[in-house]
Amino acid sequence: MLIDVVIPAFNEENSVGNVVRDLPDSVRETVVVNNNSRDDTRRNAREAGATVLDEPRQGYGYACLKGIEYLKNKPDPPEILVFVDADYSDYPEELTKIVDYLLENNLDMVIGSRALGERESGAMTPQQVFGNWLATTLIKRFYGVTYTDLGPFRAIRFDKLIAMQMQDTTYGWTVEMQLKAAKMGMAVGEVPVTYRKRIGHSKVSGTVKGTVLAGYKILSWIFKYR
């Protein structure tokens, strides 16, 4: 299987290289999308062995869409695409577990669930824990699909991802993907992943503005698709 990885990165100079280096050898290409960083994210990602793209429009979704567009236009696009954050809170080597579960169970998408796995104390803020619980509870009630997390560490078959026609450019990227998977009747699973304190300061959950905007965007997607 051709497995590629997309890593959105905004001012993650101290962690992005670790993420790239810890990915397993089964990954064909690692694409770091430098999302308007003002530090050495771009240089450190390239030195670690990643392909680096620049996306000056600020937003997690913009960065993901940039990586998808690049891979879609390759002569041999990936069969499976994995998303992982650049902050080193996930364990990149667990990609093997996520992809193996997808293949062994003939699934379309697998979410790395922090709720099911081991989580270092303080790795998620109380608002993150509550937000994930609220979002997954509403998804189950409105869509009849059970998720335990909106975790960013996930694998999806590339053709299924393209069929989703993803749109969100900021905070709603993960929930949009999970809602569309539910609406389209895709086979989705979850596996426990290990989660630790990130390197550096969170730009979303670490600020009041980021927390409010992320919460609003996630809830708006849930009610919009209902």
Side-chain angles (χ1 to χ4, degrees):
M1 301 291 290
L2 296 178
I3 303 167
D4 291 340
V5 175
V6 167
I7 305 173
F10 170 53
N11 290 341
E12 302 288 3
E13 63 179 359
N14 295 320
S15 55
V16 66
N18 294 338
V19 178
V20 174
R21 284 186 289 268
D22 284 2
L23 288 167
D25 292 338
S26 56
V27 173
R28 176 185 64 167
E29 183 172 10
T30 301
V31 179
V32 171
V33 183
N34 175 38
N35 192 204
N36 202 29
S37 298
R38 297 181 297 273
D39 61 6
D40 283 334
T41 293
R42 165 177 253 285
R43 185 185 69 183
N44 293 350
R46 182 188 289 123
E47 288 180 354
T51 299
V52 181
L53 310 177
D54 290 312
E55 176 48 77
R57 294 172 296 180
Q58 198 72 61
Y60 187 90
Y62 275 129
C64 291
L65 289 167
K66 183 82 168 189
I68 292 169
E69 188 66 19
Y70 164 78
L71 293 170
K72 185 172 69 172
N73 290 318
K74 289 178 69 72
D76 50 349
E79 294 168 86
I80 296 173
L81 183 57
V82 176
F83 295 92
V84 64
D85 281 354
D87 60 12
Y88 208 45
S89 53
D90 290 295
Y91 286 70
E93 58 269 26
E94 292 190 333
L95 176 147
T96 302
K97 177 168 64 173
I98 295 174
V99 171
D100 284 352
Y101 190 79
L102 183 148
L103 295 174
E104 290 166 4
N105 294 279
N106 196 28
L107 299 174
D108 298 315
M109 181 171 74
V110 172
I111 309 296
S113 173
R114 299 165 295 184
L116 297 177
E118 295 184 15
R119 191 170 70 230
E120 182 182 3
S121 177
M124 292 179 70
T125 62
Q127 56 266 34
Q128 280 181 294
V129 175
F130 174 76
N132 272 289
W133 171 83
L134 178 60
T136 54
T137 299
L138 291 174
I139 291 171
K140 184 175 182 178
R141 178 168 296 181
F142 294 158
Y143 300 89
V145 176
T146 299
Y147 295 115
T148 64
D149 196 5
L150 304 180
F153 198 8
R154 54 186 58 202
I156 184 168
R157 294 185 188 271
F158 196 66
D159 59 340
K160 299 294 185 180
L161 177 62
I162 298 303
M164 286 180 171
Q165 299 182 346
M166 293 288 292
Q167 301 173 25
D168 194 89
T169 57
T170 55
Y171 304 105
W173 176 267
T174 56
V175 73
E176 180 193 357
M177 189 184 298
Q178 287 171 241
L179 290 173
K180 287 186 171 179
K183 293 276 281 188
M184 296 168 72
M186 294 185 184
V188 181
E190 294 184 320
V191 294
V193 293
T194 314
Y195 202 66
R196 61 191 158 202
K197 293 179 182 177
R198 58 162 291 140
I199 294 177
H201 182 71
S202 173
K203 293 81 174 175
V204 180
S205 61
T207 66
V208 173
K209 178 183 177 181
T211 300
V212 171
L213 290 175
Y216 170 79
K217 197 64 175 288
I218 289 168
L219 292 175
S220 67
W221 269 109
I222 292 172
F223 286 106
K224 170 185 175 182
Y225 264 75
R226 185 189 180 198

